[in-house]
Amino acid sequence: MPDKPKVAFYWCASCGGCEEAVVDLAEDILKVVEAVDIVLWPVALDFKKHDLESMPDGSIAVAFINGAVRLYEQEEWVHLLRRKAQLVVAFGSCAHLGGIPGLANLTNREAIFATNYLDGPSLDNAAGTVPLEQVRVDGRDLSLPAFFDTVRALDQVIEVDYYLPGCAPPPDLIMAAITAILKGELPPKGTVLAPNRAQCEVCPRKDGKPERIEIGEIRRVATSIPDPATCFLAQGYICLGPATRSGCHERCIHANMPCRGCFGPVDGVYDQGAKFLSAFASILAPRDEAAIEALLDQIPDPAGTFYRFSLPASLLHRRRNVS
Amino acid sequence: MTRHITIDPMTRLEGHGRIEIFLDEAGEVADAYMQVPELRGFERFCVGRPAEEMPCITERICGVCPSAHHMAATRALDDLWHVDPPPAAHKVRELFYNLFMFEDHTLHFYFLGGPDFIVGPAAPAAERNVLGVIAKVGLEIGGRVIAVRKEARAIMAEIAGKAIHPVFGLPGGVSKPIGPELGERLRQAAPGFVDFAAFSLQVFADVVLKNRAYLDAILAEHYTHRTHYMALVDEQRKVTFYRGRVRVVDPSGRQVAFFEPRDYLAHIAEHVEPWTYVKFPFLRTPGWKGFVDGPESGVYRVAPLARLNVAEGMATPRAQEHYEQMFATLGGKPAHATLAFHWARLIEALQAAETVLAYSQDPEILSPDVRRVPTATPTEGVGIVEAPRGTLIHHYQTDANGILTGVNLLVATVHNSAPIQMAIKKAAQGVIHHGQVDEGLLNQVEMAFRAYDPCFGCATHTVPGGMPLVVHIHDAGGRVRVVTREGTTEDYERSLRDAGSLSRQRPAP
């Protein structure tokens, strides 16, 4: 009787939502548990680092890694998992593209530490204490992993075999991916395990979309109420649908909120933000430069909106001059 | 010869942590440190973002309790834009939020809290027989937990877009009303949620309270801290989750502060240590005195036991009965026994379910009038909710265009970071002696934090088809026969190992 394939789950700079997504498989998880041997899952099981280190290299069939790489400890763990696993799947937006933590690439370590430990309004820290990578406390040597200046997506640190997109990936995509892996029926290496179609093609509002969208004014959900049946872009709301891969069942759209791009772009697009900018620029109403500039000035936060989930993986990667 | 023991990583919690324990020459614990080796910098990288994006950005702080951040952010937006949502919007939000509290709390009990009730003086993980006791009803319970959780989360997703990272919170209301079909689905499901919460309390009573060893563990000194407590309370000073005023009591239960969300800075400050990335909030009065408890220390606790200590009762009748029973058992209010957080959590789950039931029968939750568009210029706003894991504070400052210029977040578990540090050290000092260390004892140290920050010890792994069952049969002659579902103790251990629950060798008897 062959041993069951070994599976590992690990999290880097993560929120735990991808762990919850696995729990949300509900009764389907029982089929998975019967078929595999979970050898690492810090949120749920008591396996420790030394347990992983003592496994033979390549003895884990697949490692699902979520979270972005933000600190040295995470970089260490993902290299370790890459050695121990035959396949590595980047699970969720953060591992795939950098995710929400990737917005920190609009700032830097110094600014983050200043806000967190020195300048915040509730801090009581006249001494200016900050966390240190090495410190001696009452004769004890303690260390913390280095906090990098830049957040990286998983494939910017180790070789990644497949990607499960979304924040968090929906249960049906997760189940399909696990099933494919267990059956050995995998697409070419590097595939994103979700449909290769943009959101607009499947959006529940696409039938009411005008032949030609012409945005004359940019609106924000904070100060208005979107019509629940009309295309967001046609109403002047920024919606990243044109630049975003489908597969999420458009849950945000159904809740009357525009898409923020968590699934990342379709195949062949290397910079989701630039893709959206290009699509967006093509649906602006004004024709003269001054009017176009005035309209673009209405966008409240282009970098943080167009690159909400994808900044580390983008061609931009990070902001250059952080003041 | 001094020894240094590392627990890496801490497991069965949300997030990353490492525990460093230092023994002295006599083999007693001289020091213990809980280090949080993670940081992402939300308070900095949210500056420059439009404030209305915050419910969806800050919820990515935690994918287990995203609804808590989503709601705290939404409340902060109400304050920021000086807008009061219509009554139906408050009801829809509060309904959703209580559904979330019910789901998160019961998940914790079954998938993380359960194992941590087994405490024998030196019991290794393999001998925690509450797992076996729950296993007797485990497959049925497990199936029911999965089904209840699935329905609760499906309804949450229908209301707010998604269960993991909801989207519906806006300044002045929510993004869409609850339609008649969803209202009907909720009406059908709500009584089952109350039943399940009540049933869970019965499981707790049967499994924990009737077991003297567990009760002793709950009341053990090494799991006890006499701290201040903080929580939101409603107008009647009862336990509430969605909105209220913040109340603080001292270790004897006397009120020492009672304030509106906007005034939090006058009462709370944060201390920094160089050996961890997490900060340590404390009460400005009496101030930071170090990692100590007592009335002169500004250390305070939040989350279920704190909420029940702070309030003058529960807001719903069945939960109130359990509240009274709990404090009678624990010897009065306030209760300082850390493991009682598990009990208080279930009482809160019952209140949450009762609240959902009441709202499900309220026709106003189907109203289309769920949004009042702000007209004022945004300036500054504070939103405070009770997350499952404690008081959650979001504070935003923006320019006139609603673009964030400053963000301050005091996140539920962080209020407990000093208590958790103290709990780990005290538990380590309580269970490790004469240099004797094994993984069972180290796990008892970890148990000290699990009462606070359960996240989810995901049970996908403790509800397999082959849930082991151990039955100890004591005959009249005092002989004990150990019978397992698979036959023998060895089979039981093998099944645990196969299921991945056994990561260490059973020590020789």
Side-chain angles (χ1 to χ4, degrees):
Chain A
M1 179 104 167
D3 281 339
K4 293 194 283 187
K6 294 181 167 50
V7 169
F9 292 95
Y10 191 72
W11 50 7
C12 301
S14 154
C15 72
C18 288
E19 271 68 25
E20 280 267 347
V22 176
V23 181
D24 278 346
L25 294 178
E27 62 276 2
D28 280 348
I29 198 68
L30 300 179
K31 299 177 204 155
V32 176
V33 165
E34 266 185 46
V36 306
D37 191 9
I38 302 179
V39 297
L40 177 78
W41 198 358
V43 80
L45 308 178
D46 289 347
F47 296 114
K48 306 295 182 184
K49 192 175 185 191
H50 56 79
D51 295 311
L52 181 66
E53 284 164 334
S54 61
M55 289 179 191
D57 287 3
S59 60
I60 295 177
V62 54
F64 294 96
I65 304 178
N66 71 74
V69 178
R70 165 87 270 184
L71 291 138
Y72 179 68
E73 180 183 84
Q74 294 151 1
E75 181 176 323
E76 223 187 352
W77 270 87
V78 302
H79 280 295
L80 179 61
L81 283 160
R82 179 71 268 185
R83 285 209 315 278
K84 302 298 177 184
Q86 291 159 35
L87 289 178
V88 167
V89 177
F91 192 112
S93 295
C94 296
H96 177 205
L97 300 165
I100 293 289
L103 286 171
N105 283 3
L106 292 173
T107 180
N108 61 15
R109 180 187 184 282
E110 192 186 331
I112 288 171
F113 272 55
T115 297
N116 233 52
Y117 302 110
L118 302 176
D119 303 334
S122 47
L123 286 166
D124 179 60
N125 188 16
T129 306
V130 292
L132 299 170
E133 286 168 40
Q134 299 288 338
V135 65
R136 186 154 254 252
V137 183
D138 295 333
R140 315 286 181 201
D141 289 315
L142 295 171
S143 64
L144 287 171
F147 184 91
F148 300 129
D149 223 24
T150 297
V151 175
R152 286 171 290 169
L154 189 61
D155 66 9
Q156 293 170 331
V157 185
I158 58 170
E159 206 174 292
V160 168
D161 297 291
Y162 296 99
Y163 303 86
L164 252 177
C167 180
D172 59 339
L173 289 187
I174 299 174
M175 208 51 212
I178 291 177
T179 307
I181 290 170
L182 290 179
K183 287 187 178 165
E185 292 168 0
L186 284 164
K189 188 175 135 154
T191 301
V192 176
L193 301 171
N196 188 29
R197 275 192 320 256
Q199 279 279 20
C200 295
E201 289 184 54
V202 298
C203 180
R205 302 185 183 196
K206 68 179 193 286
D207 290 340
K209 214 169 52 170
E211 186 73 33
R212 193 181 164 70
I213 296 177
E214 303 230 341
I215 298 178
E217 184 205 344
I218 292 177
R219 301 170 76 195
R220 285 164 65 178
V221 293
T223 45
S224 58
I225 299 179
D227 177 84
T230 311
C231 167
F232 280 104
L233 286 164
Q235 298 181 62
Y237 296 101
I238 294 177
C239 173
L240 266 57
T244 303
R245 183 187 294 267
S246 64
C248 63
H249 311 292
E250 304 77 53
R251 295 163 296 178
C252 301
I253 310 294
H254 283 292
N256 203 22
M257 290 292 273
C259 171
R260 285 292 176 257
C262 76
F263 260 56
V266 296
D267 290 352
V269 174
Y270 299 104
D271 189 308
Q272 185 181 20
K275 187 68 178 171
F276 180 72
L277 181 57
S278 163
F280 189 67
S282 71
I283 55 175
L284 301 181
R287 293 286 176 261
D288 69 274
E289 195 155 331
I292 291 171
E293 290 231 23
L295 182 57
L296 292 178
D297 277 345
Q298 290 177 28
I299 305 173
D301 173 29
T305 307
F306 301 174
Y307 290 94
R308 178 68 52 83
F309 289 88
S310 64
L311 186 58
S314 71
L315 296 170
L316 293 181
H317 189 47
R318 70 158 293 112
R319 187 170 169 179
R320 301 291 147 186
N321 302 307
V322 180
S323 53
Chain B
M1 175 136 86
T2 55
R3 274 172 70 197
H4 170 196
I5 304 148
T6 303
I7 299 174
D8 180 22
M10 285 155 73
T11 51
R12 286 189 285 128
L13 81 165
E14 193 285 320
H16 298 74
R18 195 170 68 222
I19 297 172
E20 305 283 0
I21 300 172
F22 298 91
L23 306 185
D24 63 20
E25 270 84 13
E28 302 301 302
V29 172
D31 277 304
Y33 294 87
M34 182 202 61
Q35 296 181 275
V36 177
E38 69 170 331
L39 170 68
R40 282 166 292 163
F42 278 80
E43 285 154 312
R44 180 71 221 168
F45 71 67
C46 286
V47 168
R49 316 281 76 78
E52 71 269 25
E53 303 287 331
M54 287 298 264
C56 288
I57 293 178
T58 59
E59 63 190 358
R60 269 82 180 191
I61 289 171
C62 179
V64 178
C65 65
S67 299
H69 285 284
H70 193 77
M71 200 57 75
T74 303
R75 296 287 292 137
L77 295 183
D78 290 342
D79 195 31
L80 176 71
W81 257 289
H82 312 285
V83 61
D84 189 21
H90 278 301
K91 288 189 176 184
V92 169
R93 288 179 182 178
E94 190 161 29
L95 158 66
F96 170 81
Y97 199 65
N98 274 272
L99 188 51
F100 157 66
M101 291 295 285
F102 161 74
E103 172 264 316
D104 191 329
H105 272 359
T106 50
L107 178 76
H108 166 255
F109 174 65
Y110 287 101
F111 297 143
L112 181 66
D116 284 344
F117 285 120
I118 305 169
V119 182
E127 284 175 17
R128 277 192 223 135
N129 60 13
V130 74
L131 194 64
V133 175
I134 288 181
K136 180 173 170 61
V137 294
L139 283 177
E140 191 200 311
I141 302 294
R144 200 172 160 191
V145 172
I146 289 177
V148 167
R149 172 186 163 75
K150 190 173 178 181
E151 182 61 3
R153 285 170 77 82
I155 294 174
M156 283 169 63
E158 288 285 322
I159 296 173
K162 297 182 288 178
I164 303 174
H165 304 316
V167 302
F168 78 151
L170 286 167
V174 294
S175 63
K176 76 172 184 59
I178 292 178
E181 256 179 54
L182 181 55
E184 182 54 32
R185 183 175 186 176
L186 180 62
R187 248 194 313 276
Q188 295 292 325
F193 298 150
V194 175
D195 287 344
F196 188 71
F199 171 78
S200 304
L201 276 161
Q202 190 58 50
V203 170
F204 185 85
D206 292 340
V207 167
V208 180
L209 298 178
K210 290 186 178 143
N211 184 314
R212 187 72 235 175
Y214 304 160
L215 206 44
D216 286 348
I218 290 175
L219 299 169
E221 180 57 34
H222 61 265
Y223 287 128
T224 299
H225 294 273
R226 292 166 188 85
T227 60
H228 290 76
Y229 297 96
M230 173 186 293
L232 282 186
V233 292
D234 68 14
E235 307 276 288
Q236 286 74 42
R237 295 192 168 88
K238 301 295 169 73
V239 170
T240 191
F241 308 123
Y242 167 65
R243 63 174 161 170
R245 277 190 290 169
V246 182
R247 190 177 196 222
V248 182
V249 301
D250 73 7
S252 64
R254 199 171 46 90
Q255 175 177 303
V256 294
F258 196 14
F259 54 91
E260 295 284 347
R262 282 189 173 195
D263 297 328
Y264 82 97
L265 282 172
H267 298 273
I268 305 170
E270 295 179 283
H271 174 79
V272 181
E273 289 284 347
W275 44 266
T276 183
Y277 283 118
V278 79
K279 291 178 281 189
F280 301 97
F282 62 95
L283 297 166
R284 288 187 190 273
T285 308
W288 178 258
K289 307 289 169 60
F291 292 95
V292 293
D293 61 1
E296 297 311 312
S297 166
V299 168
Y300 61 90
R301 297 199 277 181
V302 296
L305 185 63
R307 289 190 282 255
L308 269 64
N309 278 338
V310 166
E312 288 176 7
M314 305 305 290
T316 58
R318 290 176 72 172
Q320 175 64 22
E321 285 171 21
H322 287 272
Y323 164 102
E324 287 166 16
Q325 188 207 339
M326 183 187 86
F327 284 116
T329 306
L330 297 178
K333 276 186 75 172
H336 300 295
T338 300
L339 296 187
F341 270 75
H342 295 290
W343 194 349
R345 186 171 292 115
L346 288 176
I347 299 173
E348 289 192 328
L350 180 56
Q351 171 170 317
E354 289 183 272
T355 304
V356 168
L357 178 62
Y359 274 130
S360 75
Q361 294 160 351
D362 180 346
E364 201 175 354
I365 62 154
L366 302 181
S367 163
D369 183 25
V370 293
R371 181 90 195 285
R372 181 169 290 134
V373 173
T375 52
T377 302
T379 50
E380 186 168 6
V382 177
I384 300 186
V385 300
E386 283 293 325
R389 293 153 192 88
T391 311
L392 174 56
I393 302 174
H394 280 217
H395 176 191
Y396 307 153
Q397 291 163 323
T398 68
D399 64 17
N401 211 21
I403 306 300
L404 289 158
T405 54
V407 174
N408 196 34
L409 309 172
L410 274 115
V411 176
T413 294
V414 171
H415 297 279
N416 280 338
S417 50
I420 292 172
Q421 160 62 24
M422 291 154 58
I424 283 171
K425 182 170 175 180
K426 193 169 184 182
Q429 287 173 325
V431 305
I432 295 174
H433 299 290
H434 314 301
Q436 294 299 311
V437 176
D438 65 42
E439 286 175 282
L441 291 175
L442 293 179
N443 192 58
Q444 284 180 51
V445 174
E446 287 196 76
M447 277 174 55
F449 75 74
R450 286 194 195 111
Y452 291 94
D453 189 20
C455 189
F456 61 95
C458 175
T460 62
H461 209 257
T462 58
V463 192
M467 175 77 85
L469 164 68
V470 180
V471 177
H472 292 240
I473 302 169
H474 302 254
D475 68 12
R479 281 169 301 174
V480 176
R481 198 159 155 252
V482 178
V483 176
T484 70
R485 190 194 295 278
E486 277 77 23
T488 64
T489 315
E490 286 70 33
D491 288 336
Y492 161 61
E493 285 185 10
R494 188 179 348 109
S495 74
L496 277 183
R497 210 176 291 120
D498 285 348
S501 304
L502 188 65
S503 62
R504 51 192 81 102
Q505 293 297 323
R506 182 194 169 99

